[in-house]
Amino acid sequence: MIQRGITRILALAGLALVTGSAAHAAVLPDDRADALYHRYDGGGVTIDGPSLLLRKKFAEKYSVSANYYMDMVSSASIDVMTTASPYKEERTQGSLAFDMLQGKTQYSVSYTLSDENDYTANTASFDLSQDIFGDLTTVSFGFSQGWDEVRKRGDDTFAEPVDRRNYRFGLQQILTPRMMAGLNYEVITDEGFLNNPYRSVRYLDETSARGYSYQPELYPHTRTSNAIAINARYYLPYRAAVHGEYRYYTDTWGIDANTVSLGYTHPWGKRWIFEAGYRWYDQSAADFYSDLFPRADAQNFLARDKELSTFTSHMFSLGASYELPSLGWERLRRSTVNLYYDRINYQYDDFRDVTTGGAPGTEDLYGFDADVFRLFISGWF
């Protein structure tokens, strides 16, 4: 099972670059093809693979897109090294989307299937966006339904369902000729088997030579999360732009999180665009998380997933896009080569690295750095 947090990073930081939709409802995406290679390396985990995207408009009212995405994973993370053996696996994902433009209203439907040897996810989505007030305001609504199945390597009888629902609302406003701002709100509900079947928690055990033993994690079967984000973008006189976002997240497991991101985009000549960004993320631990429980079965729910602990991350981003000279192909209007790099630092406040040794509960706190690369080529037809 690929780590969900890392997969999220790749999806947001990489795949979004080639699948982003238009900022306003009244414009369909251009006919376009993208080929992406991504790579994540950090914390003993390496994830890499390709992604392909195709978009096509019809009659200036309809648009169809198809995307293929692959992750090849090699994991020797701290969780794996302490309770299991390193492993390799592969995840493939395919999606189809259809957009329809009717006046100033855009309707979008999509279906995504993601599959790996021990996890299958099906997601259907519907979105609607509407331009109002002289096209200065865009309002959007969306809903997604997910049907997942969790399996376990080595146990053919293990198969648990997960039901996911996502409700979202967005408001985008042009404030001045140079500035626009937005507000986004989403509610996510999860129900089913929500923990990792391979992960364990540790507890104090005087009968063990190392002073502690392990038992399987046990999570609640429901989770509801709420997130609200505000963002703004300001276009500078020399064609550059600055942007920022603040996001607050909270859920019924007791996690509260804050995210602040800042970015700058700078064109250079007629062909180059450079980007730089920074993101700060901080979260509190889930109510049922502990690095070291006082005894076996210490409470109803048990977790030692570091992604549910108290931690802070810093991400620094650099990117460059170069528009290629005309290749002389009649159907190719323009094309670009794009390279992006992220450096992420994670520092955990209450998750300890048991491989460093020491009395239980006094080991060094865990932290690591990760590198994310995305290289993609885009062509407009």
Side-chain angles (χ1 to χ4, degrees):
M1 179 186 293
I2 296 173
Q3 298 185 45
R4 300 292 156 214
I6 295 174
T7 303
R8 234 177 7 252
I9 290 172
L10 291 172
L12 293 175
L15 189 59
L17 290 171
V18 296
T19 60
S21 60
H24 295 282
V27 179
L28 289 172
D30 290 332
D31 293 351
R32 179 174 172 176
D34 295 88
L36 166 76
Y37 170 77
H38 68 272
R39 180 179 176 86
Y40 173 99
D41 190 356
V45 178
T46 300
I47 303 176
D48 69 333
S51 177
L52 299 173
L53 171 73
L54 293 174
R55 291 188 185 276
K56 179 62 180 175
K57 286 190 295 186
F58 301 92
E60 297 301 321
K61 292 183 59 176
Y62 311 103
S63 175
V64 177
S65 64
N67 176 245
Y68 172 79
Y69 188 85
M70 176 185 289
D71 284 323
M72 291 171 285
V73 183
S74 176
S75 180
S77 66
I78 184 67
D79 309 271
V80 170
M81 295 304 293
T82 54
T83 59
S85 300
Y87 66 89
K88 294 183 179 181
E89 66 180 6
E90 180 179 294
R91 178 177 74 97
T92 58
Q93 177 177 297
S95 62
L96 291 172
F98 174 77
D99 300 311
M100 183 178 72
L101 185 63
Q102 187 171 17
K104 296 182 179 181
T105 305
Q106 182 172 322
Y107 304 90
S108 302
V109 294
S110 65
Y111 173 75
T112 300
L113 171 62
S114 174
D115 186 64
E116 53 197 278
N117 60 2
D118 55 0
Y119 200 100
T120 299
N122 297 271
T123 305
S125 297
F126 171 78
D127 288 275
L128 180 152
S129 57
Q130 172 76 49
D131 283 355
I132 56 177
F133 303 137
D135 298 341
L136 296 178
T137 305
T138 301
V139 179
S140 60
F141 304 89
F143 171 73
S144 297
Q145 173 72 60
W147 304 270
D148 299 358
E149 182 181 74
V150 184
R151 299 182 295 276
K152 187 175 182 180
R153 293 187 299 271
D155 184 355
D156 294 336
T157 65
F158 186 95
E160 295 287 344
V162 179
D163 182 84
R164 304 185 187 275
R165 296 182 182 182
N166 179 296
Y167 307 85
R168 49 195 174 271
F169 165 80
L171 176 66
Q172 200 75 20
Q173 178 68 46
I174 297 177
L175 301 175
T176 72
R178 294 189 180 277
M179 185 173 183
M180 61 191 304
L183 171 71
N184 294 285
Y185 177 72
E186 69 174 350
V187 178
I188 300 175
T189 64
D190 300 327
E191 183 176 2
F193 188 86
L194 303 182
N195 54 287
N196 188 313
Y198 308 107
R199 189 174 286 117
S200 301
V201 302
R202 64 172 186 156
Y203 61 89
L204 288 171
D205 184 0
E206 295 181 354
T207 65
S208 173
R210 59 191 175 190
Y212 61 87
S213 295
Y214 287 98
Q215 70 174 103
E217 285 188 330
L218 181 60
Y219 287 11
H221 276 235
T222 60
R223 182 183 191 179
T224 300
S225 61
N226 294 265
I228 186 168
I230 55 175
N231 59 76
R233 178 177 292 269
Y234 183 77
Y235 295 90
L236 299 167
Y238 49 96
R239 297 190 301 133
V242 293
H243 59 88
E245 181 178 84
Y246 169 73
R247 182 177 186 265
Y248 174 71
Y249 168 95
T250 186
D251 66 24
T252 52
W253 288 2
I255 295 177
D256 294 312
N258 296 277
T259 306
V260 177
S261 61
L262 299 169
Y264 175 71
T265 303
H266 187 90
W268 186 274
K270 295 183 178 180
R271 298 191 181 278
W272 286 99
I273 297 177
F274 295 98
E275 297 184 34
Y278 169 73
R279 191 191 75 163
W280 171 81
Y281 176 84
D282 181 78
Q283 79 166 41
S284 62
D287 294 335
F288 51 93
Y289 168 86
S290 178
D291 176 69
L292 180 64
F293 287 93
R295 61 185 182 278
D297 301 317
Q299 55 194 45
N300 291 336
F301 301 114
L302 308 160
R304 193 178 174 263
D305 180 359
K306 62 183 182 297
E307 303 307 316
L308 299 184
S309 71
T310 303
F311 74 92
T312 301
S313 72
H314 303 269
M315 183 171 76
F316 299 89
S317 304
L318 293 173
S321 175
Y322 177 73
E323 183 167 343
L324 297 169
S326 176
L327 301 177
W329 298 349
E330 183 178 346
R331 296 184 61 85
L332 183 64
R333 294 191 290 113
R334 59 183 289 254
S335 57
T336 61
V337 176
N338 312 268
L339 177 63
Y340 289 84
Y341 168 70
D342 302 319
R343 176 72 170 182
I344 312 173
N345 172 261
Y346 297 89
Q347 293 296 329
Y348 296 88
D349 294 347
D350 48 16
F351 180 86
R352 297 187 176 274
D353 184 353
V354 299
T355 65
T356 62
T362 66
E363 303 94 342
D364 293 343
L365 290 172
Y366 186 62
F368 71 94
D369 294 320
D371 298 298
V372 181
F373 295 91
R374 287 147 290 140
L375 172 65
F376 65 97
I377 300 173
S378 300
W380 287 260
F381 299 92

